[in-house]
Amino acid sequence: METFQYMGMPKVYFGQGILKTALDAEIPETVHTVMIAYGGGSIKRTGIFDSIVDYLSSRNMKYVEFSGIMPNPTYAKVQEGAKLAVDAQVDLILAVGGGSVIDCCKVIAVQAKTDKDLWQSEFVDHIYPTDHIPLAAVTTVSGTGSEMNNGAVITNESTLQKNGMLGAMADFVVLDPSYTLTVPMMQAVSGAFDTLSHCMETYFGKPAEINVSDEMNESVMRNVIRNIRAMIKDPKDVKVRSELMWDASMAENGILKIGKITDFQNHMLEHQLGAYTDCNHGQGLAVIHPTVYRHLLKDNTARFARFAKEVFGVDTEGKSEEQAASEGIDALQAFIREIGLPCTLTELKNNMRHGTGDPTDPELLRKIADSTIITKGCARQMDADEIYTILTECIA
Ligand code: NZQ
Ligand code: ZN
């Protein structure tokens, strides 16, 4: 167990129809103007927007809309939202959506309180935010766990970097699993795979010995795998959505990371893949995970062998540690194929409805490799050449 300090998390309201209970309890009379921030419009089609507007009207509160937050939100979009928040004198931001909306709003909440360029402050001057407009996260698609941490993944289009910024942590969170029933199945599965990825990125970090966080993590991973299968079988089962929604929060609320140095090398690589191609986050992770792990097999053999047995139920009896470890990675690859996520960059490309770059273009892959952050928690520090090799192995 590494040394750690543990800080509390945002207050969570969980359950079907919980929105009014949360807003009654958490929005004080002093709030005059609320910003309702959302993405491309799913909240209007599903009726979530109307239920929020009706609620605010019942309390005579004004609202402004901030729409069009895109998947893989940009720093320019953050600036647009912050300007609106200042101009409209917003005193509460409701981020209604998935990781993209919540991340964008975490940084808007902070940017609206300072004239400084936050990108420069955080990545160059290393000065971190201290003040923010109160923020609530109303999750409508689960997976990233963004609602329960203060990381915000933002793409800076001018530098082509997709980086985790420190934004505001939500002051309260609304998790209604029934909201996620309308999410297209491909997105729901890729979100749930993102959750599994967060668990794995934590589990395969350091130290090598198993601790209580790892044992809890194994349980969450088994739950995610079981419930992805159940969701595909019965997309309307809200109990399954509830499990996946809380799994997503559990993977990112810090509990599983206690006493760990996390890995997150796959994430650093996928974020650059996203910065250059605008691909879907969960799908990008699905493509690269097995290949990255095959490269690391000899550096973390015992942990991969345990993963095989405890998470995928591989029969390891009589097998060498290396054989068991290898079968665990095979099981992960087979699971990705089974649930319909892409297994190669070519398949990822075929799934992309739009995109800013071709994920099978070797020249682009070189730029992605060269700009990928190398993490300290990875079992072995890779270099840009190895990352490039991994990407080329993922093409077909
Ligand atoms: O934009 P709308 O119209 O709302 O449609 C969205 C979007 O197209 C749709 N959607 C959301 N709720 C829906 C719905 N469609 C129907 N019914 C609903 N109830 O889902 C699509 C994807 O939304 P998005 O927010 O982009 O997905 P996700 O939650 O996977 O977020 C991805 C972003 O989060 C970042 C990723 O890098 C990516 O930018 N991450 C944030 C993390 C964090 N803050 O801790 C950690 C993650 O590792 C990740 O990097
Ligand atoms: Zn992720």
Side-chain angles (χ1 to χ4, degrees):
M1 186 74 92
E2 295 289 312
T3 55
F4 69 87
Q5 296 178 9
Y6 179 70
M7 207 180 76
M9 331 168 176
K11 189 164 177 181
V12 176
Y13 292 82
F14 186 101
Q16 285 188 69
I18 201 79
L19 181 72
K20 183 176 183 310
T21 307
L23 301 185
D24 277 347
E26 299 295 334
I27 306 187
E29 291 303 326
T30 48
V31 167
H32 297 296
T33 306
V34 176
M35 178 196 270
I36 308 175
Y38 56 93
S42 71
I43 70 161
K44 293 215 166 168
R45 293 190 293 279
T46 56
I48 299 170
F49 179 82
D50 286 344
S51 60
I52 292 171
V53 168
D54 290 348
Y55 176 85
L56 296 175
S57 303
S58 76
R59 290 188 57 186
N60 294 318
M61 285 170 180
K62 284 200 304 182
Y63 72 89
V64 289
E65 288 181 49
F66 182 56
S67 63
I69 300 175
M70 62 293 273
N72 301 326
T74 62
Y75 194 52
K77 196 69 186 169
V78 167
Q79 301 311 321
E80 188 188 325
K83 183 172 183 318
L84 178 62
V86 172
D87 290 349
Q89 298 183 341
V90 164
D91 32 26
L92 172 71
I93 299 173
L94 287 182
V96 190
S100 298
V101 171
I102 298 168
D103 284 3
C104 192
C105 289
K106 284 174 179 174
V107 188
I108 289 171
V110 172
Q111 184 72 82
K113 289 282 188 182
T114 175
D115 292 333
K116 285 186 181 150
D117 173 358
L118 284 181
W119 197 274
Q120 163 85 15
S121 299
E122 293 202 13
F123 297 112
V124 183
D125 304 333
H126 305 295
I127 299 168
Y128 298 101
T130 52
D131 197 11
H132 69 271
I133 295 178
L135 170 71
V138 181
T139 302
T140 66
V141 53
S142 66
T144 66
S146 171
E147 62 276 357
M148 289 197 75
N149 65 29
N150 65 344
V153 184
I154 302 293
T155 300
N156 188 327
E157 313 105 296
S158 55
T159 59
L160 279 177
Q161 286 168 299
K162 188 177 179 194
N163 266 356
M165 301 185 70
L166 287 184
M169 186 171 260
D171 295 283
F172 68 98
V173 175
V174 180
L175 293 178
D176 183 335
S178 68
Y179 287 174
T180 67
L181 289 169
T182 54
V183 176
M185 186 51 75
M186 184 50 121
Q187 177 61 45
V189 171
S190 85
F193 186 80
D194 187 24
T195 300
L196 182 62
S197 170
H198 296 159
C199 290
M200 293 190 290
E201 298 268 40
T202 303
Y203 186 75
F204 290 114
K206 293 171 180 170
E209 71 266 14
I210 284 285
N211 67 22
V212 59
S213 303
D214 294 316
E215 291 196 52
M216 288 166 69
N217 195 336
E218 287 166 353
S219 173
V220 176
M221 287 192 275
R222 286 191 296 267
N223 191 286
V224 175
I225 291 165
R226 190 170 66 246
N227 282 294
I228 291 177
R229 288 180 168 135
M231 174 172 69
I232 292 169
K233 204 165 160 200
D234 184 0
K236 293 288 161 219
D237 188 341
V238 78
K239 282 190 257 135
V240 167
R241 302 299 181 123
S242 304
E243 294 288 305
L244 289 171
M245 193 168 222
W246 187 241
D247 285 332
S249 295
M250 272 301 291
E252 276 302 308
N253 65 14
I255 296 270
L256 303 183
K257 299 180 184 180
I258 288 177
K260 301 277 301 178
I261 300 170
T262 58
D263 175 351
F264 279 85
Q265 187 60 68
N266 287 274
H267 266 70
M268 293 306 107
L269 173 47
E270 194 289 326
H271 284 167
Q272 281 317 99
L273 187 61
Y276 278 87
T277 69
D278 203 22
C279 68
N280 174 280
H281 177 59
Q283 291 188 31
L285 289 169
V287 170
I288 61 179
H289 256 288
T291 308
V292 169
Y293 285 165
R294 283 190 189 109
H295 274 250
L296 295 171
L297 190 145
K298 285 193 164 52
D299 307 287
N300 214 359
T301 316
R303 184 55 69 103
F304 281 119
R306 184 177 165 112
F307 172 77
K309 181 165 183 265
E310 299 297 335
V311 178
F312 275 106
V314 171
D315 180 5
T316 56
E317 197 63 33
K319 291 174 187 158
S320 69
E321 211 170 49
E322 196 166 325
Q323 177 66 23
S326 177
E327 288 187 22
I329 299 169
D330 290 347
L332 173 65
Q333 177 77 82
F335 177 66
I336 292 167
R337 169 83 54 212
E338 173 197 332
I339 62 178
L341 289 177
C343 295
T344 65
L345 290 171
T346 305
E347 289 172 13
L348 179 72
K349 180 182 171 181
N350 293 339
N351 278 3
M352 285 164 63
R353 268 176 289 159
H354 68 283
T356 50
D358 175 355
T360 63
D361 172 4
E363 260 182 54
L364 201 82
L365 297 182
R366 186 71 244 183
K367 289 182 184 157
I368 291 168
D370 288 343
S371 59
T372 294
I373 293 170
I374 304 300
T375 66
K376 288 200 178 86
C378 189
R380 174 173 53 78
Q381 269 69 67
M382 292 189 256
D383 60 17
D385 287 344
E386 186 170 9
I387 302 268
Y388 178 70
T389 304
I390 287 170
L391 285 167
T392 54
E393 287 169 3
C394 288
I395 292 177

